[in-house]
Amino acid sequence: MIRVFTPQGPTLRELAVQALSSTERGYDLLAPKFDETPFRTPARLLEPVVSALHPLGPFGTGLDLCCGTGAGVGVLRELCARRVTGADFSTGMLRQARTAFAGIAGPPAVDWVRADARALPFAPAFDLVTSFGAFGHFLPAERPALFAQVHAVLRPGGRFAFPVVAPPPAGSLLHWALWGFDLAMRVRNALWRPRFIMYYRTFRLTEVRDELARTGFSVDLLPLAGLGSRPDGSPRCVLVVARRR
């Protein structure tokens, strides 16, 4: 049986079954082995985010949107004093997150909530909302409603923060790999139901900034210097910090 990524990672068959499932069901299936894949947000990205957000605090309450197995919740626990919530629509991912954090004592207290990011069941109770690596699961047409949901659950002056990695150079191997992946997903979703939504090239920073501004956010970009620079001197990764006006 061929395993992918690590000896404890998913098998090729398991990945194929996931790819032919719905987005939610696919993550339920992958959840027990998700942290053995490259899809989990790495610590080398999380640590610079903590450093960039820390001077903007203090924060009392935080929400990690599409929290998966809890990588972003760990970030919020370093930044928020009172309470942190992880929200995801996958029951399997939330189960893994609860297990991973079960032995960690507060404060802050940690809650886990099953919720669709497009219909969040929260009052405007959060000082900080984060999200890591989840936006490819939303079609561009869904983003305005998604950002409106985040705006609605933030207190006035609260911040919505997420990292965005610069696109690979045109013509590079990674450029063509991402292009090929997105094309394969479009073909798969045109021919197969239920759909599995995951695209790498639909989250363009200029469009996202405009959509956030129209929603009622003021937007700043913070370079994450610890992640290096591109050949032209621009940062490889920036932290988008959108403040509810």
Side-chain angles (χ1 to χ4, degrees):
M1 186 176 296
I2 300 175
R3 293 190 178 274
V4 184
F5 309 126
T6 71
Q8 295 76 38
T11 66
L12 284 174
R13 181 183 182 279
E14 287 170 333
L15 287 176
V17 171
Q18 180 211 8
L20 295 175
S21 304
S22 68
T23 314
E24 179 182 347
R25 177 60 177 158
Y27 276 101
D28 284 346
L29 294 171
L30 183 60
K33 299 177 181 177
F34 180 80
D35 288 348
E36 298 295 332
T37 74
F39 309 132
R40 178 181 170 88
T41 306
R44 64 183 178 85
L45 175 60
L46 299 173
E47 292 164 3
V49 170
V50 172
S51 298
L53 287 174
H54 191 270
L56 304 180
F59 303 103
T61 54
L63 169 68
D64 190 46
L65 201 63
C66 308
C67 66
T69 56
V73 169
V75 168
L76 290 176
R77 290 193 78 253
E78 296 190 49
L79 295 166
C80 298
R82 293 198 306 275
R83 184 169 293 274
V84 170
T85 301
D88 202 285
F89 76 161
S90 166
T91 302
M93 298 292 269
L94 288 171
R95 184 182 302 116
Q96 293 300 121
R98 287 191 184 97
T99 300
F101 282 77
I104 301 176
V110 177
D111 299 316
W112 305 100
V113 176
R114 184 179 182 276
D116 190 322
R118 296 162 294 191
L120 292 173
F122 305 114
F126 297 101
D127 303 309
L128 177 62
V129 176
T130 57
S131 193
F132 296 88
F135 295 118
H137 295 304
F138 300 94
L139 298 173
E142 297 176 302
R143 283 201 305 260
L146 172 67
F147 293 161
Q149 287 290 301
V150 175
H151 188 274
V153 302
L154 280 168
R155 293 190 176 101
R159 289 175 168 90
F160 177 31
F162 52 88
V164 176
V165 179
S172 66
L173 181 61
L174 182 57
H175 167 87
W176 289 115
L178 297 181
W179 187 90
F181 179 91
D182 281 9
L183 177 62
M185 289 302 297
R186 291 184 186 281
V187 172
R188 178 253 187 249
N189 287 329
L191 299 177
W192 189 268
R193 291 292 186 274
R195 296 186 302 172
F196 188 96
I197 302 300
M198 180 61 214
Y199 297 105
Y200 283 104
R201 300 176 66 252
T202 59
F203 196 75
R204 297 180 175 89
L205 184 55
T206 53
E207 297 173 0
V208 168
R209 290 186 70 176
D210 290 343
E211 290 164 358
L212 287 167
R214 286 195 293 269
T215 305
F217 289 101
S218 57
V219 183
D220 293 313
L221 302 181
L222 305 181
L224 297 178
L227 297 176
S229 301
R230 307 174 80 194
D232 63 1
S234 61
R236 292 189 182 277
C237 187
V238 298
L239 185 68
V240 177
V241 181
R243 184 176 183 271
R244 176 176 171 171
R245 293 194 291 262

